[in-house]
Amino acid sequence: MSDDDQQRPPLPASPQPAVGQLRASDADRERVADQLRQASGEGRLTVDELDERLNRCYAAKTVAELAQLTADVIPGQATTAAAAPAGTVSIRPGPGGTGTIVSIMGGNDRAGRWRVASRLNVLNVMGGSDLDLTQAELSDSETTITVFSLMGGSDLRVPDGVEVHVTKFALMGGHDVKLSDAPVPPGAPVIKVRLFSIMGGGELRQGRKLSKAERRLEQARERGELSGG
């Protein structure tokens, strides 16, 4: 190293972007999207407003853009999108919760916040049930759901972040099962699903149901009309 190099002052550090100008990550967008859906469920946003903000959310490039979408609907919100992630599995050990759902020549829909017993038996006879557990409260770390359908069917949706074991049997019917490919964290809750159908069937999905705006964006990405990130 020459004397000139030793006497030369160090180069100034590159300026860091302000927090609001940081590029938004996919996780940031998902957190804000969950906040918007929660706000809509509380009546703070209409369905049309939710649809429009979700479009802006998934098109946002910076943290500041995301923060603007929730500033008027999240009480006490700081101007940042770095909130704790939503959609984690809720478990409150103890008795209670829905243990039986019967649909005979009719139907049952359950979604949102509801408590599920450690054993849930679902019976569909010439009827059906639509059960969404993505926001449900589980009463045990292991939940067994048994669905029997006779000339009927059931749509079941389980949350992400759980280990799902599936047993199925169909006579003159069938089942459509699609689970997440995401790795399950160690010690995750277990949901055992047993599907039995005679002249009927059922559908099992994992993860929250996409909104119309998200489905349109997903279809656009599949067609190559949008670039990710």
Side-chain angles (χ1 to χ4, degrees):
M1 181 181 294
S2 67
D3 293 339
D4 289 342
D5 290 334
Q6 292 177 340
Q7 296 175 2
R8 185 179 301 158
L11 294 174
S14 300
Q16 296 296 315
V19 173
Q21 297 305 314
L22 287 175
R23 299 280 291 190
S25 68
D26 289 338
D28 291 332
R29 296 186 188 93
E30 286 298 333
R31 282 194 289 269
V32 173
D34 284 333
Q35 290 175 332
L36 292 171
R37 279 185 288 269
Q38 180 179 349
S40 179
E42 295 171 350
R44 300 178 190 275
L45 293 174
T46 67
V47 174
D48 289 340
E49 288 172 333
L50 174 63
D51 193 56
E52 185 267 338
R53 292 198 188 195
L54 284 174
N55 273 303
R56 291 167 55 193
C57 174
Y58 285 99
K61 297 297 184 183
T62 66
V63 169
E65 292 177 73
L66 292 175
Q68 292 174 359
L69 297 175
T70 57
D72 62 341
V73 294
I74 305 299
Q77 154 133 352
T79 56
T80 177
T88 55
V89 181
S90 174
I91 301 177
R92 183 166 60 88
T98 300
T100 304
I101 296 177
V102 179
S103 302
I104 300 177
M105 300 182 68
N108 277 292
D109 294 344
R110 298 298 300 269
R113 296 289 181 182
W114 61 295
R115 182 169 170 81
V116 181
S118 60
R119 292 186 176 272
L120 172 60
N121 297 313
V122 182
L123 175 63
N124 305 303
V125 180
M126 300 179 66
S129 55
D130 188 347
L131 310 178
D132 187 340
L133 277 69
T134 56
Q135 297 184 56
E137 179 184 73
L138 305 181
S139 57
D140 201 329
S141 59
E142 181 174 302
T143 303
T144 301
I145 303 174
T146 303
V147 182
F148 177 77
S149 300
L150 174 63
M151 301 179 66
S154 185
D155 290 341
L156 179 63
R157 187 171 290 273
V158 297
D160 286 322
V162 301
E163 184 175 345
V164 184
H165 300 168
V166 182
T167 302
K168 54 184 178 177
F169 171 81
L171 177 64
M172 300 179 67
H175 302 108
D176 184 10
V177 176
K178 290 184 180 179
L179 301 177
S180 172
D181 294 328
V184 179
V190 176
I191 296 182
K192 297 181 178 179
V193 181
R194 305 163 65 198
L195 303 171
F196 303 96
S197 299
I198 299 176
M199 300 179 67
E203 180 179 283
L204 172 61
R205 296 288 186 269
Q206 185 169 16
R208 60 175 178 75
K209 187 178 296 185
L210 298 180
S211 68
K212 291 181 180 179
E214 290 171 308
R215 287 197 298 270
R216 288 198 298 267
L217 286 168
E218 188 176 79
Q219 292 167 359
R221 287 195 180 99
E222 291 174 353
R223 293 193 298 266
E225 298 173 2
L226 293 175
S227 59

